PDB file of all heavy atoms in Angstrom:
ATOM      1  N   ASP A 411      57.037 132.789 123.874  1.00  0.00           N
ATOM      2  CA  ASP A 411      58.035 133.709 123.311  1.00  0.00           C
ATOM      3  C   ASP A 411      58.459 133.245 121.925  1.00  0.00           C
ATOM      4  O   ASP A 411      58.496 132.042 121.636  1.00  0.00           O
ATOM      5  CB  ASP A 411      59.277 133.767 124.210  1.00  0.00           C
ATOM      6  CG  ASP A 411      59.002 134.448 125.541  1.00  0.00           C
ATOM      7  OD1 ASP A 411      57.886 134.959 125.713  1.00  0.00           O
ATOM      8  OD2 ASP A 411      59.894 134.435 126.401  1.00  0.00           O
ATOM      9  N   HIS A 412      58.793 134.208 121.071  1.00  0.00           N
ATOM     10  CA  HIS A 412      59.365 133.863 119.778  1.00  0.00           C
ATOM     11  C   HIS A 412      60.814 133.414 119.976  1.00  0.00           C
ATOM     12  O   HIS A 412      61.531 133.940 120.845  1.00  0.00           O
ATOM     13  CB  HIS A 412      59.308 135.057 118.819  1.00  0.00           C
ATOM     14  CG  HIS A 412      57.910 135.446 118.454  1.00  0.00           C
ATOM     15  ND1 HIS A 412      57.257 136.487 119.056  1.00  0.00           N
ATOM     16  CD2 HIS A 412      57.048 134.912 117.550  1.00  0.00           C
ATOM     17  CE1 HIS A 412      56.039 136.597 118.541  1.00  0.00           C
ATOM     18  NE2 HIS A 412      55.883 135.651 117.629  1.00  0.00           N
ATOM     19  N   VAL A 413      61.242 132.456 119.173  1.00  0.00           N
ATOM     20  CA  VAL A 413      62.577 131.870 119.343  1.00  0.00           C
ATOM     21  C   VAL A 413      63.674 132.923 119.249  1.00  0.00           C
ATOM     22  O   VAL A 413      64.654 132.883 119.998  1.00  0.00           O
ATOM     23  CB  VAL A 413      62.803 130.750 118.300  1.00  0.00           C
ATOM     24  CG1 VAL A 413      64.271 130.332 118.249  1.00  0.00           C
ATOM     25  CG2 VAL A 413      61.939 129.543 118.634  1.00  0.00           C
ATOM     26  N   ASP A 414      63.526 133.902 118.352  1.00  0.00           N
ATOM     27  CA  ASP A 414      64.605 134.876 118.167  1.00  0.00           C
ATOM     28  C   ASP A 414      64.753 135.852 119.329  1.00  0.00           C
ATOM     29  O   ASP A 414      65.690 136.653 119.351  1.00  0.00           O
ATOM     30  CB  ASP A 414      64.454 135.625 116.843  1.00  0.00           C
ATOM     31  CG  ASP A 414      63.176 136.442 116.762  1.00  0.00           C
ATOM     32  OD1 ASP A 414      62.368 136.405 117.722  1.00  0.00           O
ATOM     33  OD2 ASP A 414      62.962 137.109 115.733  1.00  0.00           O
ATOM     34  N   THR A 415      63.846 135.780 120.307  1.00  0.00           N
ATOM     35  CA  THR A 415      63.988 136.620 121.501  1.00  0.00           C
ATOM     36  C   THR A 415      64.706 135.886 122.636  1.00  0.00           C
ATOM     37  O   THR A 415      64.981 136.475 123.679  1.00  0.00           O
ATOM     38  CB  THR A 415      62.615 137.089 122.013  1.00  0.00           C
ATOM     39  OG1 THR A 415      61.873 135.962 122.501  1.00  0.00           O
ATOM     40  CG2 THR A 415      61.836 137.781 120.899  1.00  0.00           C
ATOM     41  N   LEU A 416      65.017 134.596 122.441  1.00  0.00           N
ATOM     42  CA  LEU A 416      65.625 133.785 123.491  1.00  0.00           C
ATOM     43  C   LEU A 416      67.137 133.942 123.498  1.00  0.00           C
ATOM     44  O   LEU A 416      67.757 134.244 122.475  1.00  0.00           O
ATOM     45  CB  LEU A 416      65.283 132.303 123.282  1.00  0.00           C
ATOM     46  CG  LEU A 416      63.806 131.914 123.251  1.00  0.00           C
ATOM     47  CD1 LEU A 416      63.681 130.398 123.042  1.00  0.00           C
ATOM     48  CD2 LEU A 416      63.092 132.346 124.519  1.00  0.00           C
ATOM     49  N   SER A 417      67.728 133.691 124.649  1.00  0.00           N
ATOM     50  CA  SER A 417      69.181 133.643 124.752  1.00  0.00           C
ATOM     51  C   SER A 417      69.698 132.430 123.985  1.00  0.00           C
ATOM     52  O   SER A 417      68.948 131.506 123.658  1.00  0.00           O
ATOM     53  CB  SER A 417      69.611 133.538 126.216  1.00  0.00           C
ATOM     54  OG  SER A 417      69.190 132.289 126.756  1.00  0.00           O
ATOM     55  N   THR A 418      71.009 132.403 123.733  1.00  0.00           N
ATOM     56  CA  THR A 418      71.613 131.277 123.024  1.00  0.00           C
ATOM     57  C   THR A 418      71.372 129.967 123.768  1.00  0.00           C
ATOM     58  O   THR A 418      71.032 128.942 123.161  1.00  0.00           O
ATOM     59  CB  THR A 418      73.128 131.507 122.871  1.00  0.00           C
ATOM     60  OG1 THR A 418      73.340 132.692 122.106  1.00  0.00           O
ATOM     61  CG2 THR A 418      73.788 130.327 122.177  1.00  0.00           C
ATOM     62  N   GLY A 419      71.539 130.011 125.094  1.00  0.00           N
ATOM     63  CA  GLY A 419      71.341 128.794 125.882  1.00  0.00           C
ATOM     64  C   GLY A 419      69.911 128.293 125.831  1.00  0.00           C
ATOM     65  O   GLY A 419      69.665 127.088 125.713  1.00  0.00           O
ATOM     66  N   ASN A 420      68.930 129.203 125.902  1.00  0.00           N
ATOM     67  CA  ASN A 420      67.534 128.785 125.847  1.00  0.00           C
ATOM     68  C   ASN A 420      67.148 128.299 124.457  1.00  0.00           C
ATOM     69  O   ASN A 420      66.322 127.383 124.317  1.00  0.00           O
ATOM     70  CB  ASN A 420      66.615 129.920 126.296  1.00  0.00           C
ATOM     71  CG  ASN A 420      66.542 130.040 127.810  1.00  0.00           C
ATOM     72  OD1 ASN A 420      66.812 129.075 128.534  1.00  0.00           O
ATOM     73  ND2 ASN A 420      66.187 131.211 128.304  1.00  0.00           N
ATOM     74  N   GLN A 421      67.733 128.883 123.421  1.00  0.00           N
ATOM     75  CA  GLN A 421      67.488 128.353 122.082  1.00  0.00           C
ATOM     76  C   GLN A 421      68.016 126.920 121.967  1.00  0.00           C
ATOM     77  O   GLN A 421      67.396 126.065 121.335  1.00  0.00           O
ATOM     78  CB  GLN A 421      68.162 129.239 121.034  1.00  0.00           C
ATOM     79  CG  GLN A 421      67.458 130.569 120.808  1.00  0.00           C
ATOM     80  CD  GLN A 421      68.033 131.329 119.626  1.00  0.00           C
ATOM     81  OE1 GLN A 421      68.500 130.736 118.671  1.00  0.00           O
ATOM     82  NE2 GLN A 421      67.992 132.656 119.700  1.00  0.00           N
ATOM     83  N   GLN A 422      69.146 126.665 122.616  1.00  0.00           N
ATOM     84  CA  GLN A 422      69.706 125.319 122.596  1.00  0.00           C
ATOM     85  C   GLN A 422      68.790 124.339 123.327  1.00  0.00           C
ATOM     86  O   GLN A 422      68.603 123.196 122.892  1.00  0.00           O
ATOM     87  CB  GLN A 422      71.092 125.337 123.239  1.00  0.00           C
ATOM     88  CG  GLN A 422      71.918 124.076 123.028  1.00  0.00           C
ATOM     89  CD  GLN A 422      72.542 123.991 121.651  1.00  0.00           C
ATOM     90  OE1 GLN A 422      72.063 124.615 120.704  1.00  0.00           O
ATOM     91  NE2 GLN A 422      73.582 123.203 121.516  1.00  0.00           N
ATOM     92  N   ARG A 423      68.179 124.785 124.412  1.00  0.00           N
ATOM     93  CA  ARG A 423      67.232 123.926 125.141  1.00  0.00           C
ATOM     94  C   ARG A 423      66.007 123.624 124.280  1.00  0.00           C
ATOM     95  O   ARG A 423      65.525 122.483 124.250  1.00  0.00           O
ATOM     96  CB  ARG A 423      66.800 124.610 126.436  1.00  0.00           C
ATOM     97  CG  ARG A 423      67.915 124.797 127.463  1.00  0.00           C
ATOM     98  CD  ARG A 423      67.378 125.513 128.699  1.00  0.00           C
ATOM     99  NE  ARG A 423      68.428 125.984 129.575  1.00  0.00           N
ATOM    100  CZ  ARG A 423      68.433 125.818 130.906  1.00  0.00           C
ATOM    101  NH1 ARG A 423      67.447 125.171 131.488  1.00  0.00           N
ATOM    102  NH2 ARG A 423      69.404 126.297 131.649  1.00  0.00           N
TER     103      ARG A 423
END
Side-chain angles (χ1 to χ4, degrees):
D411 291 354
H412 294 99
V413 168
D414 62 358
T415 67
L416 302 180
S417 66
T418 299
N420 280 337
Q421 286 188 31
Q422 192 78 337
R423 294 179 193 226

